[in-house]
């Protein structure tokens, strides 16, 4: 039985941080992302549950900080109705930042036609791009009528869980089509820095975690044929060109796959033929297709019930 992996973030000095990486590899964990900044480094990791105490002790010895990052391995689309200033307020940026602090990867998307009641629509391309993610978080404003009666039109065609943030204090069932509504985060003209605003963002993070846990529970009932983190490691080892990609998060983990930021036409055959185990290649356990984000490669892993394989 495979070890249960727990998501954590290490923050500490860049000096000797390789000791953390060496221990992680020895334990059978995975490095999801490494972000160096001057003399500091941030490591997002998946650590075997039974060995977390070993990493905690080493982090303490290195005078670093190890904290749980429950959103690690999630890819969240933060969607605003338009790119106009009244629809893409500072709060949307703070929402995305808070999700990243929890370990999530976020993509900010401003729709082309969400500005009025009769044209509150999303294009087919936009819907397909949003559906590539694990969760769609729609950042709305402060008008109750707008959130309840107009903006739910933007949910049409969205097949992933939908979370809505807005200013009014509403119940989830008040917003048609939403899986979760989070109030007290509306349109403002400043960054969210006051204590009550930070408190609202903390509540948001907790509720997003609840939605993520439901997705993980569903996956646990019918496991993926291979862990996305395992695919990430194999790409790093078998396709050296990924090291030359300087776009942030060249390998973006998702709950049921990953986005590989290499040109689809040039590299999809190499990705399909990625060897996971003897006589088992990635194409045997996953759908590999062009991403709607630039010309990247999108990998969606199939379930064990479909493939009869669990690596």
């Amino acid at each position: 039985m495979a070890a249960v992996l727990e998501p954590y973030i290490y923050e500490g000095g860049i000096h000797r941080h390789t000791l953390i990486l060496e221990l992680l590899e020895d334990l059978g964990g995975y490095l999801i992302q490494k972000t160096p900044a001057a003399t500091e480094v941030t490591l997002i990791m998946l650590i075997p549950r039974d060995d977390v105490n070993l990493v905690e002790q080493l982090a303490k010895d290195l005078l670093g900080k190890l904290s749980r990052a429950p959103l690690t391995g999630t890819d969240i689309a933060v969607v605003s109705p338009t790119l106009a200033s009244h629809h893409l307020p500072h709060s949307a940026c703070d929402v995305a930042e808070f999700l990243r602090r929890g370990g999530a990867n976020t993509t900010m998307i401003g729709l082309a036609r969400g500005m009025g009641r009769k044209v509150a629509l999303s294009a087919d391309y936009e819907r397909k791009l949003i559906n590539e993610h694990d969760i769609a978080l729609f950042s709305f404003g402060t008008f109750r009528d707008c959130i309840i009666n107009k903006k739910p039109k933007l949910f049409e065609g969205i097949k992933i869980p939908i979370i809505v943030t807005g200013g009014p204090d509403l119940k989830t069932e008040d917003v048609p089509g939403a899986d979760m509504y989070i109030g007290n985060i509306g349109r403002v003209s400043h960054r969210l820095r006051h204590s009550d605003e930070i408190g609202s963002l903390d509540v948001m993070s907790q509720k997003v975690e609840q939605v993520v846990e439901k997705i993980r529970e569903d996956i646990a009932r019918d496991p993926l044929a291979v862990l996305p983190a395992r695919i990430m490691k194999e790409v790093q080892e078998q396709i050296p060109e990924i090291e030359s990609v300087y776009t942030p998060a060249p390998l973006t983990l998702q709950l049921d796959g990953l986005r590989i930021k290499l040109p689809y036409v040039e590299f999809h055959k190499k990705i399909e033929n990625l060897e996971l185990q003897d006589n088992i290649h990635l194409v045997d356990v996953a759908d590999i297709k062009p991403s709607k984000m630039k010309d990247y490669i999108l990998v969606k892993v199939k379930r064990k019930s479909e493939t009869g394989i669990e690596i």
Side-chain angles (χ1 to χ4, degrees), residues 73-88:
T74 60
D75 191 20
I76 300 176
V78 179
V79 186
S80 292
T82 67
L83 291 173
S85 59
H86 63 286
H87 271 152
L88 191 62

Side-chain angles (χ1 to χ4, degrees), residues 25 38 57 69 98 104 163 180 214 229 231 289-290:
E25 184 175 0
Q57 184 58 52
F98 251 69
I163 298 175
M180 177 77 73
K214 288 182 180 178
I231 301 173
K289 53 190 177 182

Side-chain angles (χ1 to χ4, degrees), residues 87-133:
H87 271 152
L88 191 62
H90 293 80
S91 57
C93 299
D94 289 314
V95 164
E97 179 184 339
F98 251 69
L99 295 175
R100 287 194 294 270
R101 289 182 185 180
N105 182 80
T106 59
T107 304
M108 296 197 67
I109 300 174
L111 301 179
R113 298 178 295 166
M115 66 289 287
R117 186 178 296 271
K118 293 182 180 180
V119 287
L121 303 170
S122 56
D124 182 61
Y125 167 82
E126 293 169 333
R127 289 192 293 272
K128 289 179 178 178
L129 175 58
I130 293 170
N131 281 328
E132 287 187 5
H133 296 75

Side-chain angles (χ1 to χ4, degrees), residues 15-308:
H15 178 59
R16 298 180 69 198
H17 80 278
T18 52
L19 295 177
I20 293 283
L21 299 180
E22 291 171 1
L23 177 60
L24 183 68
E25 184 175 0
D26 292 342
L27 297 175
Y30 296 96
L31 174 67
I32 305 304
Q33 188 173 337
K34 173 182 173 180
T35 308
T39 60
E40 301 294 315
V41 68
T42 299
L43 307 174
I44 301 179
M45 304 173 288
L46 292 175
I47 306 172
R49 178 181 292 171
D50 295 339
D51 300 315
V52 170
N53 62 315
L54 298 177
V55 182
E56 284 179 330
Q57 184 58 52
L58 180 56
K60 184 178 180 181
D61 293 343
L62 296 176
L63 304 180
K65 176 184 177 184
L66 187 72
S67 53
R68 200 167 186 278
L71 299 182
T72 293
T74 60
D75 191 20
I76 300 176
V78 179
V79 186
S80 292
T82 67
L83 291 173
S85 59
H86 63 286
H87 271 152
L88 191 62
H90 293 80
S91 57
C93 299
D94 289 314
V95 164
E97 179 184 339
F98 251 69
L99 295 175
R100 287 194 294 270
R101 289 182 185 180
N105 182 80
T106 59
T107 304
M108 296 197 67
I109 300 174
L111 301 179
R113 298 178 295 166
M115 66 289 287
R117 186 178 296 271
K118 293 182 180 180
V119 287
L121 303 170
S122 56
D124 182 61
Y125 167 82
E126 293 169 333
R127 289 192 293 272
K128 289 179 178 178
L129 175 58
I130 293 170
N131 281 328
E132 287 187 5
H133 296 75
D134 294 314
I135 292 173
L137 190 151
F138 284 81
S139 176
F140 292 156
T142 56
F143 296 110
R144 178 186 298 263
D145 176 71
C146 182
I147 294 173
I148 295 175
N149 297 315
K150 183 177 75 172
K151 288 300 187 285
K153 290 181 181 179
L154 299 176
F155 305 157
E156 294 176 1
I158 304 302
K159 300 175 182 177
I160 58 176
I162 295 171
I163 298 175
V164 175
T165 63
D169 186 14
L170 303 173
K171 297 179 180 179
T172 296
E173 51 267 30
D174 294 333
V175 186
D179 295 284
M180 177 77 73
Y181 175 81
I182 304 165
N184 301 315
I185 304 177
R187 182 178 65 248
V188 294
S189 58
H190 60 269
R191 298 298 300 274
L192 303 180
R193 289 293 180 266
H194 301 301
S195 58
D196 57 332
E197 295 169 339
I198 297 296
S200 296
L201 290 172
D202 286 334
V203 170
M204 177 205 69
S205 294
Q206 294 168 9
K207 292 192 174 183
V208 172
E209 289 170 23
Q210 293 173 13
V211 175
V212 169
E213 283 306 311
K214 288 182 180 178
I215 299 173
R216 286 178 172 149
E217 289 171 6
D218 175 69
I219 292 175
R221 285 190 286 269
D222 185 6
L224 299 175
V226 59
L227 287 175
R230 168 71 180 274
I231 301 173
M232 170 184 277
K233 184 177 181 180
E234 296 298 341
V235 171
Q236 291 169 335
E237 293 180 353
Q238 299 183 40
I239 303 180
E241 290 88 348
I242 197 67
E243 300 297 330
S244 301
V245 176
Y246 298 111
T247 304
L251 293 168
T252 301
L253 275 193
Q254 300 177 336
L255 292 173
D256 62 349
L258 71 162
R259 185 182 295 106
I260 302 172
K261 295 182 178 178
L262 288 170
Y264 177 84
V265 173
E266 184 179 352
F267 286 96
H268 78 277
K269 286 295 183 183
K270 290 184 179 180
I271 298 298
E272 290 172 1
N273 294 324
L274 204 71
E275 187 172 3
L276 303 175
Q277 203 167 285
D278 293 340
N279 298 320
I280 298 178
H281 298 85
L282 185 57
V283 71
D284 299 324
V285 296
D287 292 319
I288 300 161
K289 53 190 177 182
S291 171
K292 293 297 178 183
M293 184 181 293
K294 298 187 177 180
D295 58 346
Y296 298 147
I297 302 170
L298 184 68
V299 177
K300 288 294 185 181
V301 182
K302 299 176 183 177
R303 301 293 183 100
K304 180 183 177 182
S305 61
E306 184 178 355
T307 64

